[in-house]
Amino acid sequence: MAVERWTPERRRQHTRDLLLDAAQDVFARRGFEGASLEDIAEVAGFTRGAIYKHFANKAELFLAVNERFNERALIAFADMLEHDLAGDENAALARKWREVLAPERDLLALGMEFNLYVLRHPEMRAQVAEHRRRLPGMIAAFMEQRAATTGITLRLPAITIARVILAASDGLAFSAEFDDDDLYEPFLELLNAALPAD
């Protein structure tokens, strides 16, 4: 079997992946403000300079960790939807949503902590706003593809629906930490009832 060559692009991606893995670990243990770039570089096995070759600052690194998590979540949903969903589709989607978020409780806490950081540091808002525009775009593209496959016409633009889902997602995850009632499935039922055009 041929061994794949380590091209410069592959080497850069490998380094970036190691930095993201280390950042997720350090952020989870120390929080956003408690984590330092030196700690992250050390866990990844690099110097702080390696981080700056890939990310402008700690906030950009955090946003990249978050974006990678969301990309993986979308892939998990897409894989599930490629197969026939037995029984209630809302129940199956709600289960998958919980499964994706349950092991990542630290990311929920980090997301809330980071949001507070941004509220207290207005100079960060432009950078975060750019990230917040990319993520709904990913979800909207996924929804448009799904709608085309199933023949559904959406009542609202997919980008608007994606932003509503993202706004609700953190609240649903937070609620699941404290309440006995699981709100994922009721939310999907409301969404599905409201979205198809007449």
Side-chain angles (χ1 to χ4, degrees):
M1 184 166 99
V3 177
E4 188 177 348
R5 290 184 60 224
W6 279 87
T7 62
E9 294 79 16
R10 187 175 173 218
R11 230 178 262 286
R12 274 194 296 274
Q13 186 59 51
H14 179 68
T15 300
R16 189 176 192 276
D17 289 342
L18 290 174
L19 290 169
L20 289 172
D21 290 341
Q24 183 168 335
D25 175 56
V26 174
F27 284 139
R29 285 188 288 110
R30 300 193 179 172
F32 175 74
E33 294 206 67
S36 73
L37 292 179
E38 289 81 3
D39 293 335
I40 293 168
E42 184 179 341
V43 169
F46 296 104
T47 64
R48 181 175 168 153
I51 294 176
Y52 286 121
K53 287 182 181 176
H54 294 268
F55 307 99
N57 51 43
K58 186 166 69 168
E60 187 175 299
L61 177 56
F62 177 85
L63 291 170
V65 169
N66 188 54
E67 188 163 356
R68 184 177 68 161
F69 167 75
N70 288 314
E71 287 171 353
R72 290 175 175 175
L74 283 177
I75 290 168
F77 277 103
D79 288 346
M80 184 188 74
L81 292 173
E82 280 181 8
H83 305 90
D84 290 333
L85 294 174
D88 186 351
E89 184 171 300
N90 282 340
L93 288 170
R95 268 195 311 276
K96 177 56 74 174
W97 201 346
R98 281 192 307 274
E99 286 172 16
V100 166
L101 293 180
E104 305 296 344
R105 293 173 68 187
D106 290 335
L107 286 182
L108 172 64
L110 283 173
M112 297 176 91
E113 179 186 342
F114 184 73
N115 289 340
L116 286 173
Y117 177 82
V118 172
L119 287 173
R120 292 174 179 145
H121 296 83
E123 70 276 8
M124 295 297 306
R125 290 186 185 180
Q127 182 178 356
V128 174
E130 181 184 343
H131 169 78
R132 286 177 65 90
R133 282 190 293 271
R134 282 198 308 267
L135 180 55
M138 289 167 39
I139 295 171
F142 172 79
M143 292 180 66
E144 287 166 349
Q145 181 182 12
R146 179 70 177 156
T149 302
T150 58
I152 293 172
T153 302
L154 300 173
R155 184 185 302 269
L156 296 170
I159 193 71
T160 302
I161 300 166
R163 293 179 66 205
V164 168
I165 290 170
L166 285 171
S169 185
D170 285 347
L172 292 170
F174 186 74
S175 175
E177 293 292 317
F178 300 99
D179 299 330
D180 293 333
D181 294 336
D182 187 325
L183 299 179
Y184 290 99
E185 192 172 343
F187 175 76
L188 288 171
E189 288 174 6
L190 286 170
L191 197 63
N192 286 340
L195 290 185
D198 293 335

